[in-house]
Amino acid sequence: MAWTCSGATSAQLIGNMQKAGLIHSDIVATAMKKVDRANYVLRKSRAYEDSPQPIGHDATISAPHMHAHATENLLPFLKPGSKVLDVGSGSGYLCAVLHHIVGPQGKVVGIDHIPELVEFSVENLKKDGLGEQLESGSIEMVMGDGRQGYAQGGPYDAIHVGAAAPHMPQALVDQLAQPGRMFIPVGTYSQAVYQVDKDEDGNVTEQELFGVMYVPLTDRKPSSSPP
Ligand code: SAH
């Protein structure tokens, strides 16, 4: 069903996904309609399809229904002014969506370990009209190992992880605010998305949501490795 949801514009794609029951929240739909997916993909002719797409460097921009699902899961923790971390930010698409929910008083940090993808995401966000937000710091794209998080920007009300971790990364759990929520795929051969909740007192609970197949969170390949 997801694959049939295409449109001539982002707004049409998102509208069709709402009709198909793939997006339930008006807040998420409104935010996604503000983001032009053509600014974040390599094959513009396929921008408005509900499918993942390669963006180079072994990375893919996730399918819009996965971005919608993750955002809806985190939504109770996404308020105007909230702080959010997107690990494995790739194209930058989800950072734009999250920004439109937490607003200019909020903060979205995207972290990726491939410098070319960080640069790609910055260019994409600028094309999408978010240059000012990058300048003001309400959106910040950083290069680094996302398994360590980005402690200087935290604690985070919400953390999204866009690649599968072999084990639950403790550094990310530590960087969750009290209260806070993380949406994270965990596993190697077999993967599942976990919802990790930290309550006001710092108690952490994990809930397995559903099986998935994400690209792994990895060590960066040395850029000048011998053949
Ligand atoms: N959610 C993004 C990209 C998903 S692909 C989008 O939809 O555009 C997964 C991303 O995780 C890739 O960009 C990859 O470079 C990144 N990644 C993999 N291992 C990482 C690590 N250890 N630290 C930071 N980023 C990592």
Side-chain angles (χ1 to χ4, degrees):
M1 182 168 67
W3 299 81
T4 64
C5 284
S6 54
T9 61
S10 266
Q12 270 185 18
L13 164 69
I14 304 308
N16 289 337
M17 288 172 62
Q18 284 178 286
K19 279 185 216 146
L22 295 168
I23 303 178
H24 303 100
S25 151
D26 286 340
I27 295 175
V28 173
T30 302
M32 288 182 78
K33 283 178 184 170
K34 290 182 183 163
V35 182
D36 186 347
R37 195 164 182 262
N39 288 324
Y40 299 85
V41 296
L42 297 177
R43 287 182 69 185
K44 311 284 178 212
S45 61
R46 309 199 66 173
Y48 308 128
E49 286 178 11
D50 187 21
S51 56
Q53 201 185 112
I55 51 171
H57 308 277
D58 295 332
T60 51
I61 180 171
S62 302
H65 73 269
M66 273 313 299
H67 282 142
H69 196 77
T71 309
E72 289 191 339
N73 178 266
L74 294 171
L75 196 58
F77 296 83
L78 302 174
K79 306 287 178 214
S82 297
K83 276 192 196 174
V84 194
L85 178 67
D86 182 24
V87 175
S89 44
S91 64
Y93 176 91
L94 190 63
C95 293
V97 174
L98 294 167
H99 166 75
H100 290 304
I101 298 176
V102 303
Q105 306 307 321
K107 169 123 189 154
V108 178
V109 178
I111 184 164
D112 205 286
H113 67 162
I114 308 280
E116 291 87 348
L117 285 177
V118 177
E119 209 173 294
F120 178 62
S121 64
V122 167
E123 290 313 311
N124 297 343
L125 289 160
K126 284 185 190 164
K127 276 189 276 173
D128 210 32
L130 295 170
E132 224 170 83
Q133 286 78 349
L134 286 163
E135 261 168 50
S136 71
S138 58
I139 303 178
E140 188 180 351
M141 306 305 288
V142 298
M143 206 274 283
D145 186 345
R147 293 171 292 194
Q148 304 306 319
Y150 188 66
Q152 51 271 62
Y156 300 97
D157 302 293
I159 299 179
H160 171 263
V161 184
H167 311 285
M168 188 64 71
Q170 189 58 38
L172 296 181
V173 178
D174 291 345
Q175 288 169 36
L176 271 180
Q178 297 179 201
R181 175 175 290 176
M182 174 160 62
F183 179 98
I184 178 171
V186 181
T188 44
Y189 178 67
S190 144
Q191 303 171 358
V193 168
Y194 285 78
Q195 172 185 314
V196 180
D197 282 312
K198 193 184 271 187
D199 70 14
E200 288 80 359
D201 301 321
N203 301 310
V204 175
T205 50
E206 290 177 13
Q207 191 187 333
E208 185 177 325
L209 298 182
F210 51 88
V212 279
M213 189 44 74
Y214 274 67
V215 299
L217 270 178
T218 55
D219 291 324
R220 188 153 67 90
K221 289 181 198 144
S223 49
S224 55
S225 56

